[in-house]
Amino acid sequence: MTLRLGEVKPISSPDWVRLSFGADMVLGFSPGKFLRGALNTTINLLQYYPDGCKANCIYCGQAREVSQGPDCKTLIRVEWPIRPLNQVLERIKERQGDPDLGLQRICVGQLAHPRASPDSIEITKRIREHGIELQISELVTATYTSRDDMIKMKEAGGNMIDVAIDAASKRVFDSVRGKPVRSMHSWERYLKGIDDAVEVFGKMNAGIHLIIGLGETEKEAVNLMLYAHSRGAKISLFAFYPEEMTPMENRKPVPVHVYRRMQLARWLIENDLAKAEDFIFNEKEQLVDINLSSDLTFRELSGAFLTSGCPGCNRPYSNERPGDRLRNIPWYPSEKQTLNALKASKLPSVKRFLE
């Protein structure tokens, strides 16, 4: 961009980024304490543009018709302060070896914007140019990210990539992200994006984001997880929690018992411990039981309730308010937490672990 004499360069990515409020605290920009000491071990960056996000996903505080410009109210219900990228990178470099923080990863998150992919590539390059050795994940919007873009992200220093498909089926995707809600996203384009991501970054170095509670049936959610795993993609689960000011602000959060079943399903699928025929559904497509191997141990099942996704991404309290019942547990679950989670699933096959 060429500036005329006297003009000021606008605040915009790649020179500026948003930081999740948790990451902002870890890097010392904002004061605050983490409940139970659950520090963010991933620094979440999000692009910022004066003209905002171009999509209109009806569950998101960034949505075009919700934010009406760049000043989105919240994303996952917390503020995302805008910071100069260079300052952010200097603080990450200072803190990357601090054992008390335990930083493991940087996530470069995209908006739905024509500049999204070029700027993700540039931000990734700058991270590496600062001598930062943390792992880098690319969180991409398939609408604006091609296979060639993914190749450039990897060449710039990205280690992993996630395609934020969010919805579990075409039916749900269209109703919350597609043309019926005046948004441009396409289910078919996102499915292609998953395959492109796996091809470029490799199996289990690419994945999906899936939000449970957008209107899908449990069978639809399990089917998408089975599909993603069959393509070589890992699965990051999120629990829907309503954002104020969005069209879905009055929808209830996903019930804990539903989310516990989906966490179990994800863990079993990713560890090749369950196939499609092992999941038993009723006429309402609710998961009513799972055929579990007799070799499974209580300790192994604890891992199902840990935050899922890229290694080192614990995203504490991104699915609920601090003090609420945790959906994704940001530390290895205690015996009590595991017992409570298994009880909450209401599945007959887990009763043997509760005795």
Side-chain angles (χ1 to χ4, degrees):
M1 176 171 53
T2 303
L3 297 177
R4 296 176 182 175
L5 187 64
E7 283 186 324
V8 178
K9 192 174 183 180
I11 295 176
S12 177
S13 288
D15 297 322
W16 295 75
V17 293
R18 291 188 185 274
L19 275 176
S20 70
F21 191 65
D24 210 58
M25 288 195 291
V26 165
L27 295 181
F29 289 110
S30 292
K33 293 182 179 180
F34 289 81
L35 185 65
R36 301 186 192 177
L39 296 173
N40 277 55
T41 51
T42 289
I43 300 299
N44 300 98
L45 311 181
L46 184 67
Q47 294 170 341
Y48 174 87
Y49 299 107
D51 52 344
C53 186
K54 301 300 183 184
N56 200 45
C57 307
I58 63 172
Y59 52 89
C60 180
Q62 295 269 359
R64 184 183 68 246
E65 293 179 10
V66 173
S67 62
Q68 298 181 347
D71 297 323
C72 73
K73 307 300 181 288
T74 62
L75 183 65
I76 59 172
R77 305 174 324 285
V78 297
E79 297 296 327
W80 285 65
I82 304 166
R83 305 292 182 196
L85 178 62
N86 281 343
Q87 285 187 21
V88 171
L89 298 183
E90 284 301 319
R91 295 209 179 186
I92 294 173
K93 186 175 180 181
E94 291 169 3
R95 290 163 169 78
Q96 65 179 343
D98 186 337
D100 293 330
L101 297 180
L103 293 179
Q104 298 183 48
R105 182 171 298 276
I106 300 170
C107 182
V108 181
Q110 290 186 354
L111 294 185
H113 194 279
R115 284 174 48 190
S117 285
D119 286 345
S120 287
I121 295 162
E122 179 61 24
I123 290 168
T124 302
K125 285 181 180 177
R126 294 188 192 182
I127 293 170
R128 292 305 184 212
E129 287 169 354
H130 268 75
I132 294 170
E133 298 175 355
L134 299 177
Q135 295 281 296
I136 300 174
S137 289
E138 311 286 346
L139 178 58
V140 302
T141 302
T143 304
Y144 288 102
T145 306
S146 68
R147 181 179 176 278
D148 286 345
D149 292 325
M150 294 178 184
I151 291 171
K152 291 175 183 176
M153 290 172 193
K154 187 176 182 182
E155 290 173 345
N159 307 106
M160 285 190 165
I161 188 168
D162 272 4
V163 177
I165 195 167
D166 291 355
S169 68
K170 177 175 171 53
R171 175 185 68 83
V172 178
F173 187 99
D174 288 346
S175 70
V176 298
R177 308 197 70 188
K179 290 182 180 179
V181 292
R182 299 170 299 284
S183 196
M184 83 292 278
H185 294 314
S186 156
W187 174 254
E188 292 75 17
R189 177 69 191 90
Y190 270 76
L191 292 184
K192 184 180 185 303
I194 294 169
D195 284 343
D196 287 343
V198 172
E199 182 181 346
V200 173
F201 279 79
K203 290 185 176 182
M204 302 308 290
N205 287 322
I208 65 168
H209 278 199
L210 172 60
I211 301 174
I212 303 298
L214 294 180
E216 75 289 337
T217 68
E218 292 176 53
K219 186 174 183 178
E220 286 177 317
V222 170
N223 283 344
L224 181 65
M225 288 189 272
L226 287 163
Y227 174 81
H229 185 63
S230 74
R231 310 303 285 187
K234 61 185 177 60
I235 304 152
S236 301
L237 278 190
F238 293 77
F240 171 75
Y241 196 104
E243 295 272 1
E244 293 181 2
M245 308 299 291
T246 67
M248 293 179 71
E249 67 176 339
N250 294 320
R251 179 170 291 192
K252 292 182 179 179
V254 60
V256 172
H257 65 274
V258 172
Y259 197 65
R260 294 301 184 224
R261 292 196 286 270
M262 296 302 97
Q263 286 177 303
L264 279 167
R266 180 210 64 82
W267 185 84
L268 291 165
I269 289 167
E270 287 206 326
N271 287 282
D272 295 313
L273 295 171
K275 298 179 181 178
E277 57 267 27
D278 293 317
F279 297 99
I280 303 167
F281 302 93
N282 64 15
E283 66 280 358
K284 295 181 180 179
E285 298 196 351
Q286 296 168 320
L287 183 61
V288 295
D289 209 358
I290 307 172
N291 292 322
L292 296 177
S293 167
S294 60
D295 295 333
L296 275 178
T297 67
F298 177 87
R299 182 64 177 169
E300 286 175 323
L301 282 179
S302 296
F305 309 109
L306 189 66
T307 302
S308 59
C310 296
C313 182
N314 61 343
R315 48 182 192 278
Y317 311 111
S318 65
N319 294 269
E320 62 283 305
R321 299 189 185 282
D324 286 355
R325 196 169 179 182
L326 288 167
R327 268 60 171 184
N328 291 327
I329 300 175
W331 51 76
Y332 204 86
S334 66
E335 181 176 340
K336 182 179 179 180
Q337 286 176 314
T338 302
L339 281 170
N340 288 338
L342 289 170
K343 286 178 185 177
S345 74
K346 301 180 180 180
L347 295 176
S349 57
V350 305
K351 288 182 179 178
R352 64 184 171 96
F353 298 103
L354 308 178
E355 297 171 350

